[in-house]
Amino acid sequence: LISCSKSNDLAGEIPDKTIVLVVDIENIRRPNVEDYVRFQNDSGNDPKHYTVEVDLDEVIQWVAIPEPCESQQPGVYVLIKKVKYEKGTKVLRGKDAHEPPSDNPLVVLAKVKGNESVRDKTEEYSIQFEVYKNWLPKGTYTLDPKLKVLRSSR
């Protein structure tokens, strides 16, 4: 499901970082969405407090996958519908909300600003995602992690 497809505003760009949201599609429910999701490279922390460190001009890709593994069959999938700025310093370029490109609805791409004024700043954003089972939407959910721009270049 992870792809390097380009969106119109990021044509030719290859993602520098991929954020993978893993969703327990069998049990997810409101109001405690964070109890049923995790980030693939996170060591069990609360997903509301998940913070990804990024650098200037990096292209970030968001994707989502269902779990458990046996649920990964035709008609069972998770789509990220929107990555949206909520508060803090706006570190991503362009509009406040980033959506999947029409040529690849499985990914959302956005680029970190290139100016030094966003160094060591944090953006809180929301990820809106939709769970599908048997090709039909089961529900739309929202999670609020963070992006932090590194203090200095790597």
Side-chain angles (χ1 to χ4, degrees), residues 23 38 53 95:
V23 181
R38 65 181 173 82
E53 291 187 335
K95 50 195 172 184

Side-chain angles (χ1 to χ4, degrees), residues 8-78:
N8 293 338
D9 57 338
L10 293 173
E13 299 278 358
I14 303 239
D16 297 296
K17 193 162 283 172
T18 299
I19 299 171
V20 180
L21 180 65
V22 181
V23 181
D24 177 352
I25 64 164
E26 298 299 325
N27 299 305
I28 191 167
R29 63 181 147 282
R30 291 178 197 86
N32 300 326
V33 172
E34 62 277 358
D35 293 341
Y36 307 99
V37 299
R38 65 181 173 82
F39 289 94
Q40 193 170 53
N41 296 328
D42 194 22
S43 58
N45 296 320
D46 183 341
K48 290 188 301 187
H49 300 289
Y50 180 68
T51 303
V52 175
E53 291 187 335
V54 297
D55 208 349
L56 301 179
D57 288 317
E58 279 191 330
V59 175
I60 312 302
Q61 172 179 256
W62 287 265
V63 297
I65 58 174
E67 77 172 2
C69 287
E70 54 272 8
S71 67
Q72 295 181 16
Q73 56 191 339
V76 177
Y77 54 96
V78 181

Side-chain angles (χ1 to χ4, degrees), residues 100 113 130:
K113 292 178 180 179
E130 192 163 32

